[in-house]
Amino acid sequence: MYDKKKRIAECYRRGSEAMQKQNWGYAIEMFGLCTTLEPENVAFRQLLRNSTYKKYNDNKSGAGTFAKSKLLSIRGRIRKAKAKEEWDEVDKAAEEGLAINPWDAGINAELGHAARARGYLDIARFAYNCARQSDPKTREYSVALAEVLAEKGDYAEAGKVWQNLVRINPEDSEARSNVMRMQALETTDHGGYEGAESTQDVMATMNKRLKVQSGGEADGPGMSKEMDLQRAIKKEPEKVEHYLKLGEHYRQQKQLDKAYETFEQAVEVSGNDPNVREQLEDIELARLKHNIDLARETSSANPDDATAKENYDGLRKELVKREIEVFSRRIQRHPQDVNIKYELALRLMKIRKWTQAVPLLQQAAQNNRLKGKALLNLGKCFIQDKKLTLARGQLERAVVELSYDADPKMFTECHYLLARVAEELGDTATAENHYGEVLVVKYDYKDARERLESLQEGDDEAAAAS
C-alpha cells in the first residue's frame, strides 16, 4: 500500500544527502518530488530553490540564452491557467520555469499568486520575497508581499515593506496610509497563551478555542479576536487604534459592511484625521467592487434579465464616479503623487474625458516606473482626439519602455495601436513591422493577421504594377 508520508520522508532524505555531496541535479529532483507531494510545505520550496541556485553557481540568470525561449511557452501556460483559476497548474508551470531561472521575478510572483489563492501563505510570502529580491524596483511585488504579511498577522514586517516603499517614493500615499495602518495593528493576538503557567493552561485554552470553533460562545480573552477588540473599544472608546484594528479584522474577513461601519467610527474618534478617512474611502471602494462582482454574476447567470444588466452597468458607473471624486481629493492632499494622477487619468478615460486625462498622464510619464504605461495611454487619448501624429509619437516612446515579459497585454496593445496609427497615416512599412511584432507573441490578436495580410497583398499588387 502506498504511504505518502514515507515517500516524502525518503525523498527528503535523498535530497539532503545529494545536497551534502553537491549533487544539485539529484537534490532538485528529490525536493521537487517533495514539493509535488506536499505543496504547502515552505521548507521544501526553500530547499528546492537553494539547490537550483547552486546548480547555476548563483549566476542570477539561470540557464542563460536557453531560458528565454523555454520560458516564453511556460509564461503562456501560466496565463491560460490563471485565466481559468487553475492554481495547481499555475504552481506546476511556475516551478518548471523556476527550475530554468530561479531568479525570474515575474514567475516567482506568479507562484506567489497561486499560493495565495490556495491559502498557502508561507509559500506566497517566500515567493513574493524572491520576486522582490530579484526586482526590488517593481512596486507590485512589494505590495503583494506586504499584503500577505498582513494576512498572516505579521504587521511589523508588513509595515517595514510599506516603509521601504515610502523611502523609494515619499509621495506614495497608499504606502504612507498602510504604514500607519500596520503600526495600529502591530499589537496582534498571540492565540490567548500569554500568562499560561503550565501545559494544562495551554490545553484549557485550546479546548476553549475548539469550543468556539465548533459553535460555542467565546467566554474569555483570546477566544475571539473580534470580541477582544470590541472589549478594548468599550474599555477605551477614545483610542482610534482599537477601531482601526477591528476594522482591519473585518476587512481581512471580507466583512466589508462591518469594516465600513467601524472605520466610520474611527474617522469620528480621530477628529476626521485625513489618513483614517482615506482608509474609510478604500473600504468604500472595495465594497462597491464587491457589489459589482455580485451584480456581474447575477447578470451572467440571467443574460435575458434587463434589470440585472442595468443594475450591473449602474454600479460600474457609480464606482468610476466615486473613484474620480476620491482620487481628485487625494491629489489636492498629495500633489506630487503621480500614482494617484495616473489612476485618476485611467478613470477619466473610462468616461471619455480625454483632454482632462492628458496632463495627468504627461506628469505620470515623468516617473520611470509608470512611463511606459502612461505613454501608451497618452497615445490612446490622442487617437480618440483624432490627433494621430501626436498619438504616434507617444506610442513610439512607449513601445521601447514596455516588454512582453513584464506586461504582455500592454506590450501587444502598444504594437497593435502603433501599427493601426501608422497604417492610417499611410506608413505601410511601419504598420507591417508592428503587426508582425504582435503576431510573434499573439497570433490571434484582434484583426492583426488580417490587416497584415491585406497590407502585404497591397505591396504585391504595387510591385506587380511596376
Side-chain angles (χ1 to χ4, degrees):
M1 182 178 176
Y2 176 73
D3 190 324
K4 180 179 173 181
K5 290 184 178 179
K6 286 185 178 180
R7 176 62 170 155
I8 291 172
E10 179 63 17
C11 289
Y12 173 75
R13 182 185 66 78
R14 292 183 179 184
S16 299
E17 290 176 353
M19 284 187 75
Q20 291 175 1
K21 297 175 182 178
Q22 298 187 8
N23 185 351
W24 305 119
Y26 191 59
I28 289 168
E29 181 183 346
M30 289 298 100
F31 292 133
L33 282 171
C34 288
T35 294
T36 300
L37 293 168
E38 197 172 310
E40 69 276 16
N41 190 317
V42 69
F44 292 152
R45 305 276 185 159
Q46 292 168 332
L47 289 166
L48 174 59
R49 208 71 72 239
N50 287 335
S51 297
T52 314
Y53 294 154
K54 294 299 182 183
K55 175 184 175 181
Y56 294 117
N57 297 313
D58 290 308
N59 65 7
K60 308 298 182 185
S61 60
T65 305
F66 163 77
K68 292 185 178 179
S69 59
K70 188 74 173 176
L71 290 178
L72 191 62
S73 63
I74 289 175
R75 293 186 207 281
R77 283 172 52 201
I78 290 173
R79 284 194 300 276
K80 290 178 181 177
K82 274 182 68 178
K84 298 177 183 177
E85 297 188 355
E86 295 175 347
W87 301 114
D88 54 340
E89 179 59 28
V90 174
D91 187 310
K92 180 181 176 182
E95 285 294 356
E96 289 180 26
L98 294 172
I100 297 170
N101 181 6
W103 293 276
D104 189 293
I107 295 181
N108 269 300
E110 297 292 8
L111 176 61
H113 300 335
R116 191 176 179 184
R118 299 167 84 184
Y120 303 160
L121 295 186
D122 286 330
I123 307 292
R125 174 181 182 169
F126 169 63
Y128 287 138
N129 198 43
C130 289
R132 185 169 173 249
Q133 288 176 350
S134 293
D135 185 2
K137 293 183 179 179
T138 299
R139 182 178 182 274
E140 47 261 45
Y141 301 154
S142 292
V143 171
L145 175 60
E147 289 175 347
V148 165
L149 287 167
E151 285 179 43
K152 285 175 57 60
D154 197 343
Y155 302 120
E157 288 301 311
K160 291 177 184 177
V161 177
W162 287 115
Q163 284 173 338
N164 186 61
L165 288 173
V166 172
R167 280 193 291 271
I168 293 171
N169 178 13
E171 296 303 323
D172 189 334
S173 58
E174 181 191 11
R176 282 198 311 275
S177 176
N178 277 294
V179 167
M180 190 188 84
R181 188 161 63 92
M182 293 304 107
Q183 288 172 346
L185 294 165
E186 191 171 334
T187 305
T188 59
D189 171 40
H190 295 287
Y193 299 145
E194 297 86 352
E197 297 179 357
S198 66
T199 303
Q200 287 77 10
D201 292 334
V202 174
M203 289 299 293
T205 299
M206 282 302 299
N207 287 334
K208 289 180 182 179
R209 184 176 294 279
L210 289 171
K211 177 183 175 183
V212 173
Q213 291 172 347
S214 61
E217 294 182 1
D219 55 1
M223 299 302 96
S224 164
K225 187 170 185 178
E226 177 183 2
M227 293 190 70
D228 285 351
L229 292 170
Q230 288 174 344
R231 276 191 286 268
I233 288 173
K234 188 174 182 180
K235 183 179 179 181
E236 300 176 302
E238 75 285 357
K239 285 198 172 182
V240 69
E241 292 84 357
H242 299 322
Y243 299 91
L244 294 175
K245 291 175 187 177
L246 181 58
E248 178 63 20
H249 171 73
Y250 286 138
R251 185 210 296 255
Q252 291 181 1
Q253 297 299 314
K254 311 299 183 186
Q255 298 179 30
L256 297 179
D257 288 338
K258 286 186 176 182
Y260 185 82
E261 292 172 4
T262 307
F263 275 108
E264 272 192 318
Q265 292 176 301
V267 169
E268 183 178 349
V269 171
S270 71
N272 202 24
D273 184 303
N275 290 313
V276 179
R277 177 161 289 283
E278 286 188 4
Q279 292 187 56
L280 173 64
E281 291 169 346
D282 290 340
I283 292 292
E284 179 189 358
L285 297 179
R287 190 167 61 165
L288 272 171
K289 290 173 184 175
H290 176 67
N291 290 338
I292 288 171
D293 289 340
L294 295 177
R296 179 172 53 243
E297 291 175 7
T298 302
S299 182
S300 297
N302 304 278
D304 297 327
D305 188 335
T307 302
K309 185 179 185 305
E310 183 179 346
N311 182 47
Y312 173 50
D313 292 338
L315 285 171
R316 290 169 63 196
K317 291 177 182 177
E318 181 184 349
L319 174 62
V320 174
K321 178 182 177 182
R322 186 66 183 124
E323 285 178 327
I324 289 173
E325 292 172 353
V326 168
F327 296 152
S328 296
R329 184 163 55 248
R330 289 188 186 180
I331 284 177
Q332 298 301 315
R333 186 168 177 236
H334 312 292
Q336 302 304 315
D337 193 330
V338 291
N339 295 288
I340 301 177
K341 293 178 181 180
Y342 177 72
E343 292 298 329
L344 176 57
L346 295 185
R347 273 56 175 193
L348 290 169
M349 289 174 68
K350 285 185 178 181
I351 60 172
R352 308 181 69 81
K353 300 289 186 181
W354 316 112
T355 55
Q356 293 181 36
V358 165
L360 295 169
L361 291 169
Q362 288 173 330
Q363 293 174 66
Q366 304 305 310
N367 180 281
N368 288 332
R369 189 180 63 82
L370 295 172
K371 188 174 182 179
K373 298 187 288 187
L375 289 170
L376 169 58
N377 282 291
L378 270 172
K380 291 162 75 171
C381 286
F382 287 132
I383 288 172
Q384 294 294 332
D385 209 22
K386 309 300 182 186
K387 295 181 174 64
L388 296 187
T389 302
L390 287 175
R392 176 173 180 163
Q394 301 306 312
L395 294 171
E396 286 176 340
R397 291 175 61 202
V399 80
V400 298
E401 300 290 335
L402 300 170
S403 73
Y404 186 79
D405 287 346
D407 196 326
K409 183 177 179 181
M410 282 198 162
F411 175 87
T412 308
E413 182 181 25
C414 192
H415 276 289
Y416 177 79
L417 290 176
L418 192 47
R420 289 292 303 270
V421 170
E423 184 179 357
E424 189 71 21
L425 293 173
D427 188 347
T428 302
T430 297
E432 289 181 7
N433 176 53
H434 288 289
Y435 282 134
E437 291 290 337
V438 171
L439 298 182
V440 166
V441 296
K442 192 170 178 58
Y443 195 68
D444 59 348
Y445 188 80
K446 295 186 177 180
D447 58 351
R449 181 170 57 82
E450 291 82 357
R451 286 183 172 276
L452 177 60
E453 290 172 352
S454 177
L455 289 174
Q456 289 173 336
E457 287 173 5
D459 292 341
D460 293 341
E461 290 173 3
S466 63

